[in-house]
Amino acid sequence: MKKLSGGFILVSIFVLLLLRCGMVENPLAEKSLPSPFSRNVSGYPRWVAARGDFPSVHNPRNGIDMASTGSLISKLSSPRNLSFEEQLSLNTWRLMVHFVSHSKGLPQAVDAVNEAVTAWENLMMSFDDEKLARPCNGSKSKRLKEGQCPYFALRMNASEFSDGDFRLKVPCGMVQGSSLTVIGSPDGILGNFRIDLLGAALSAEEDPPIILHYNVRLNGDKITDGPVIVQNTWTLAHDWGPEERCPSQYSENNKKVDELEQCSEVKVRNDSLIFAAKLSSSEEEIAEPRRHFPFRQGYLAIATLRIGAEGFHMSVNGKHLTSFAFRENLEPWLVNEARIWGDLKLLSVLGSGLPTSEYSEHVTDLGLLKSAPLPILRGVNLFIGVFSTANNFKRRMSVRRTWMQYHAVRSGNVAVRFFVGLHKSQLVNEELWNEARTYGDIQLMPFVDYYRLITLKTAAICTYAANVTSAKYVMKTDDDAFVRVDEVLSTLNSTNVTHGLLYGRINYNDKPNRDPNSKWYISQEEWPGEAYPPWAHGPGYVVSRDIAKAVYKQVKRGSLKMFQLEDVAMGIWTDDMKKRGMDVKYVSDDRVQIEGCEAGYVVAHYQQPREMLCLWQKLENTNQATCCTE
Ligand SMILES: *[C@@H]1O[C@H](CO)[C@@H](O)[C@H](O)[C@H]1NC(C)=O
Ligand SMILES: *[C@@H]1O[C@H](CO)[C@@H](O)[C@H](O)[C@H]1NC(C)=O
Ligand SMILES: *[C@@H]1O[C@H](CO)[C@@H](O)[C@H](O)[C@H]1NC(C)=O
Ligand SMILES: *[C@@H]1O[C@H](CO)[C@@H](O)[C@H](O)[C@H]1NC(C)=O
Ligand SMILES: *[C@@H]1O[C@H](CO)[C@@H](O)[C@H](O)[C@H]1NC(C)=O
Ligand SMILES: *[C@@H]1O[C@H](CO)[C@@H](O)[C@H](O)[C@H]1NC(C)=O
Ligand SMILES: *[C@@H]1O[C@H](CO)[C@@H](O)[C@H](O)[C@H]1NC(C)=O
Ligand SMILES: *[C@@H]1O[C@H](CO)[C@@H](O)[C@H](O)[C@H]1NC(C)=O
């Protein structure tokens, strides 16, 4: 059976390739498409907070930016000679571009759109060159062949290290699981050194943001006598953030990041002390292990900085030492360069687990992984929008290879699309664009991805589902979630609710976090109420078409209220519809696993690509939803 369909697929690929080349060579095919963004910008409604319970956040720069929005949009919309398939990945872009650049409720959006303008123009320029040498021409352009994101980067050349200021390019950012290993020994007079992870600077004159500043001071500083590690961030707009020190001045203030302590106790037994104690049998020396600092002058240290889900984790000589939670707008995918400088004699620097995409010519099952264009699949029952960020190539591949292989998806009953913002790195954007063209399942967002903007993606999913598909149900999930599509379909069928439905792991009567130190802090201004209306957790929820459509209408009018937690936002929107008379039904399902995986899951969250493949194999082999514990 599989062999037979293989032949068919080969033929299909051939036909598709022919079609694609035909499209490109036939300028009429492009010209007949309407110019995507020719609407009248100044006539577009301004941001309206519907009932005053969402006071717009006043950004002093809004005034200026609003005035330039017109030119900004025209830059994002400048008509290009894009093929039909290429245009498809911009479907949501067209529908969202006005809304996003007017999102006053998310002050960052304007900056993110501005950055996207630069990124987009650069990308399109590079593809104007590349167009002359498209795949159907026989060979890819030289630049694309050479300029792939590297999986690892190793430097061991002593002469590169000689001046005490070493830089390692990380051209495609970092993702969860990436790491930077630095091997060297503190030397010099003070033995103080820094490891900085730098983002990309927008212009050549500007200093890039410091996404992580890791400063080791062997002899302390003004605040601390003994050796200390100071971690921080820096941006041009906000300068240095609050310092985090290890050992901390406030011992009670030891929060956890990814289940790891911010400062691990740096106590290590001194083997020679134990040995000495054994000889002299003096007990007290063993009872009180000396505080040991892992970096010491003249001693080799192997320091590994690893990217977790919530923050950076440093371990030295194999032991966890410190953790540092990601800060707003300073996410690891934005890392562009590592800089190591100061009194450290470097032996080698290694970046590994870096994000890299698979070459499509090496993908043997391309036909199975490609998505059919949606206009053909107008009759979909369920549309699934997956949140993803540009350099998470691996996660998207693992979704394509696993739950996108459900018969329901392959047959077109269910459609899946990734919603991905642009990246600041040109290399990443080029690979993303190639990926979009190869697999046909990416919807590009007209902004650079920042965590704070994710609600815009939720709005985009509803917009796309309502405008482009005919789906009865619309689901939102993440690229590290495994969705049992067949189970979702049968559950939706058995609930027998086709209107006003919010399905998922529902949280009733949840209260906003009012701790200003928390990552999830919500100010009175953002949400004045005591509690939120019922909402469904982000890793996997479903709304019926009428809800998605109502969201889409508000996007079109520019009246959709923004709230930074996207899943709560969906709850708020649904609640508003309820207040306006919609008959809303909440259906809660505990099988939506938001914290990981448990047997019998419908959705399992926090699954790494390898675990996704393992879950899929288990389902195929045993037909049971069991987990892959390590
Ligand atoms: C755009 O809208 C403005 C104000 O609504 C109007 O004055 C102008 O004529 C419109 N331009 C076009 C090209 O429709
Ligand atoms: C689009 O293609 C046509 C003919 O191939 C060319 O004349 C025109 O300059 C191109 N436009 C852009 C914006 O690249
Ligand atoms: C392929 O592209 C090159 C430019 O890189 C061009 O000179 C050549 O004519 C193209 N060949 C075909 C068959 O289109
Ligand atoms: C080491 O780096 C120096 C200076 O950057 C360079 O001249 C030399 O060729 C490099 N050696 C090797 C083996 O890469
Ligand atoms: C262990 O103790 C001995 C004797 O006090 C000392 O010389 C040595 O430096 C200590 N080693 C470490 C790692 O602290
Ligand atoms: C989708 O959006 C386009 C452009 O705004 C509009 O012309 C079209 O009517 C919309 N279709 C639906 C079904 O909403
Ligand atoms: C499903 O709902 C419809 C109307 O809401 C009702 O007529 C029908 O009997 C229900 N079917 C089942 C199987 O509950
Ligand atoms: C559930 O499935 C049955 C049989 O396939 C179908 O007739 C019915 O319309 C479905 N119900 C819903 C709510 O989709």
Side-chain angles (χ1 to χ4, degrees):
M1 190 60 205
K2 271 198 173 146
K3 287 260 159 63
L4 264 179
S5 60
F8 171 68
I9 285 154
L10 271 179
V11 172
S12 326
I13 294 176
F14 185 59
V15 170
L16 271 171
L17 274 174
L18 273 183
L19 275 175
R20 194 152 143 197
C21 297
M23 297 276 181
V24 176
E25 271 143 30
N26 176 9
L28 276 182
E30 292 147 29
K31 279 192 187 138
S32 62
L33 285 160
S35 162
F37 319 107
S38 53
R39 261 189 284 160
N40 189 342
V41 175
S42 56
Y44 211 78
R46 293 283 167 110
W47 177 271
V48 195
R51 268 201 328 264
D53 51 3
F54 271 82
S56 60
V57 180
H58 286 290
N59 182 341
R61 293 169 47 216
N62 263 349
I64 310 157
D65 287 326
M66 293 303 281
S68 62
T69 311
S71 73
L72 207 144
I73 289 175
S74 73
K75 278 183 185 156
L76 276 177
S77 349
S78 59
R80 291 275 171 182
N81 288 338
L82 298 178
S83 72
F84 175 67
E85 289 185 350
E86 286 167 345
Q87 299 231 0
L88 290 180
S89 32
L90 296 174
N91 271 335
T92 326
W93 177 296
R94 303 173 193 188
L95 297 163
M96 291 294 289
V97 77
H98 294 91
F99 179 67
V100 169
S101 35
H102 286 78
S103 309
K104 269 192 195 162
L106 296 173
Q108 261 155 30
V110 175
D111 291 341
V113 173
N114 263 315
E115 291 172 7
V117 169
T118 313
W120 178 246
E121 298 223 298
N122 291 341
L123 179 66
M124 285 300 113
M125 247 186 291
S126 83
F127 276 93
D128 283 348
D129 307 340
E130 191 246 346
K131 238 175 196 162
L132 299 167
R134 306 211 57 186
C136 35
N137 186 333
S139 70
K140 273 194 172 175
S141 73
K142 198 167 156 241
R143 185 184 43 71
L144 274 178
K145 258 196 176 143
E146 287 173 353
Q148 215 197 2
C149 294
Y151 180 68
F152 80 99
L154 174 64
R155 294 288 180 283
M156 303 181 62
N157 182 348
S159 56
E160 281 185 69
F161 298 146
S162 56
D163 62 353
D165 186 350
F166 172 74
R167 287 163 184 258
L168 180 74
K169 273 275 172 210
V170 188
C172 299
M174 298 175 105
V175 290
Q176 195 180 339
S178 299
S179 64
L180 175 77
T181 301
V182 176
I183 304 176
S185 46
D187 68 351
I189 301 164
L190 291 172
N192 292 348
F193 64 92
R194 303 165 53 160
I195 301 172
D196 286 345
L197 298 181
L198 309 175
L202 267 184
S203 66
E205 309 85 58
E206 262 176 30
D207 286 326
I210 304 179
I211 291 166
L212 173 70
H213 165 76
Y214 199 90
N215 191 344
V216 179
R217 299 174 184 164
L218 286 190
N219 294 302
D221 55 13
K222 273 181 267 177
I223 301 174
T224 311
D225 280 338
V228 65
I229 292 161
V230 180
Q231 298 175 86
N232 208 337
T233 54
W234 181 89
T235 61
L236 189 64
H238 299 109
D239 213 315
W240 291 103
E243 275 184 1
E244 288 179 21
R245 291 173 157 260
C246 283
S248 167
Q249 304 122 282
Y250 321 102
S251 52
E252 77 285 355
N253 198 6
N254 206 350
K255 280 186 283 186
K256 296 229 165 158
V257 183
D258 287 321
E259 311 288 305
L260 291 166
E261 286 181 345
Q262 274 183 323
C263 298
S264 275
E265 289 237 32
V266 280
K267 276 183 194 162
V268 163
R269 289 204 195 197
N270 183 334
D271 287 340
S272 53
L273 271 185
I274 294 169
F275 184 64
K278 268 191 189 147
L279 287 182
S280 68
S281 64
S282 98
E283 287 293 318
E284 65 258 47
E285 264 176 316
I286 303 178
E288 207 183 322
R290 281 173 42 141
R291 227 178 83 204
H292 170 70
F293 195 72
F295 295 105
R296 291 201 308 153
Q297 215 135 357
Y299 281 73
L300 197 66
I302 303 172
T304 300
L305 193 61
R306 189 173 54 80
I307 313 294
E310 298 169 10
F312 299 98
H313 307 288
M314 174 67 96
S315 54
V316 180
N317 299 335
K319 280 205 171 64
H320 174 257
L321 183 65
T322 57
S323 290
F324 183 80
F326 302 136
R327 288 192 177 158
E328 201 176 304
N329 289 348
L330 295 166
E331 288 124 12
W333 57 81
L334 299 165
V335 170
N336 185 246
E337 189 175 57
R339 182 182 184 199
I340 300 147
W341 49 309
D343 297 338
L344 184 71
K345 193 161 165 259
L346 275 175
L347 279 188
S348 75
V349 177
L350 166 71
S352 67
L354 301 175
T356 182
S357 62
E358 282 178 58
Y359 258 147
S360 47
E361 55 248 49
H362 295 167
V363 176
T364 50
D365 46 355
L366 191 61
L368 281 174
L369 301 178
K370 251 177 177 324
S371 286
L374 260 185
I376 298 170
L377 303 176
R378 264 223 157 246
V380 295
N381 185 23
L382 169 68
F383 174 74
I384 306 182
V386 186
F387 279 20
S388 187
T389 46
N391 67 358
N392 265 320
F393 310 111
K394 275 222 178 80
R395 289 189 179 179
R396 287 191 291 276
M397 282 316 284
S398 75
V399 171
R400 289 184 190 113
R401 291 223 158 87
T402 59
W403 57 266
M404 278 175 78
Q405 294 301 317
Y406 270 108
H407 177 70
V409 182
R410 301 292 327 147
S411 68
N413 185 27
V414 175
V416 183
R417 291 292 181 268
F418 297 96
F419 286 73
V420 185
L422 291 174
H423 198 277
K424 280 192 188 173
S425 148
Q426 170 83 1
L427 208 50
V428 171
N429 287 332
E430 284 174 8
E431 297 214 359
L432 179 66
W433 185 242
N434 273 334
E435 188 185 330
R437 297 195 300 193
T438 304
Y439 299 101
D441 55 13
I442 288 178
Q443 283 297 302
L444 289 179
M445 300 284 103
F447 49 85
V448 166
D449 247 320
Y450 291 104
Y451 190 75
R452 283 284 156 130
L453 299 182
I454 53 173
T455 307
L456 289 171
K457 289 193 185 175
T458 311
I461 288 175
C462 293
T463 297
Y464 185 76
N467 182 276
V468 180
T469 80
S470 58
K472 274 196 269 179
Y473 299 101
V474 181
M475 178 168 191
K476 180 257 147 176
T477 187
D478 297 328
D479 61 3
D480 60 347
F482 190 101
V483 180
R484 283 176 64 207
V485 177
D486 55 350
E487 196 59 35
V488 171
L489 285 175
S490 69
T491 306
L492 289 174
N493 185 293
S494 63
T495 53
N496 196 17
V497 181
T498 51
H499 290 89
L501 172 71
L502 178 62
Y503 161 86
R505 178 112 166 197
I506 310 266
N507 211 334
Y508 297 93
N509 206 28
D510 185 37
K511 297 192 168 52
N513 185 326
R514 301 292 194 200
D515 172 9
N517 295 318
S518 165
K519 186 182 171 185
W520 309 110
Y521 169 67
I522 298 296
S523 68
Q524 287 285 344
E525 200 184 14
E526 281 170 288
W527 182 257
E530 255 303 279
Y532 297 129
W535 58 277
H537 284 275
Y541 61 79
V542 178
V543 295
S544 50
R545 182 176 185 83
D546 51 347
I547 291 183
K549 215 169 158 181
V551 170
Y552 168 47
K553 274 191 188 152
Q554 293 177 55
V555 167
K556 270 205 293 193
R557 284 202 304 264
S559 65
L560 188 71
K561 294 186 277 183
M562 280 294 132
F563 188 70
Q564 51 167 295
L565 309 173
E566 67 85 20
D567 41 12
V568 180
M570 181 55 93
I572 293 171
W573 299 335
T574 308
D575 187 58
D576 278 351
M577 293 167 205
K578 192 177 170 190
K579 284 180 184 148
R580 276 188 253 117
M582 184 187 276
D583 182 17
V584 173
K585 293 201 181 66
Y586 299 102
V587 177
S588 191
D589 192 338
D590 285 348
R591 296 175 305 161
V592 176
Q593 302 287 343
I594 52 175
E595 299 283 358
C597 183
E598 269 179 43
Y601 65 89
V602 170
V603 174
H605 193 211
Y606 295 136
Q607 300 301 301
Q608 294 305 306
R610 221 175 333 138
E611 294 167 305
M612 299 275 266
L613 292 169
C614 169
L615 288 178
W616 179 246
Q617 270 166 7
K618 288 206 171 200
L619 277 172
E620 282 204 314
N621 296 342
T622 67
N623 212 9
Q624 279 180 353
T626 45
C627 298
C628 299
T629 43
E630 287 181 3

